[in-house]
Amino acid sequence: RYIEQRDKVAQRVPIVDVAYRDIVSDPMNPIREIYDAHRRKLTADTEAAMGRWSGENPQYRYGRVTYTPEKYGLTRESIEQQFAPYIDRFGAYL
């Protein structure tokens, strides 16, 4: 249902797909893409403030939690089967 609803919304509003790894590797690039898609100006002051926030809030600042499918009684195969349309469209999750 998510993909169906997303496609309906995308007819009216620009949607920018951003992979988590891209946010982690270069957070400002996806932000620029989002601003551009919505025809918004990203000012130098705003970009600097976002950069400061990112520097002050590094990944794992409060520790690292590791999640596994098995912890929740799931298997990789069951997830891949249930989320096949999503994975086909957006890529693998693991």
Side-chain angles (χ1 to χ4, degrees), residues 1-14:
R1 275 193 225 153
Y2 164 75
I3 291 174
E4 189 177 298
Q5 290 300 313
R6 181 193 179 284
D7 289 343
K8 286 181 184 177
V9 170
Q11 294 172 8
R12 297 172 303 184
V13 179

Side-chain angles (χ1 to χ4, degrees), residues 67-79 93-94:
Y67 300 97
T68 64
E70 297 77 21
K71 182 177 179 178
Y72 300 97
L74 302 169
T75 65
R76 182 181 180 117
E77 293 77 22
S78 69
I79 293 169
Y93 65 98
L94 296 173

Side-chain angles (χ1 to χ4, degrees), residues 52-63:
R52 281 191 302 278
W53 183 93
S54 183
E56 294 165 2
N57 294 279
Q59 186 178 31
Y60 311 126
R61 177 180 177 190
Y62 298 107

Side-chain angles (χ1 to χ4, degrees), residues 74-93:
L74 302 169
T75 65
R76 182 181 180 117
E77 293 77 22
S78 69
I79 293 169
E80 288 174 349
Q81 182 180 12
Q82 290 180 323
F83 291 91
Y86 183 94
I87 294 168
D88 289 345
R89 182 147 175 196
F90 299 106
Y93 65 98

Side-chain angles (χ1 to χ4, degrees), residues 39-58:
R39 297 187 177 130
R40 304 286 308 265
K41 180 168 175 47
L42 180 59
T43 67
D45 288 345
T46 300
E47 190 166 341
M50 290 178 179
R52 281 191 302 278
W53 183 93
S54 183
E56 294 165 2
N57 294 279

Side-chain angles (χ1 to χ4, degrees), residues 6 9-17 33-34 36-39:
R6 181 193 179 284
V9 170
Q11 294 172 8
R12 297 172 303 184
V13 179
I15 295 177
V16 179
D17 296 313
E33 289 178 25
I34 293 166
D36 287 347
H38 290 270
R39 297 187 177 130

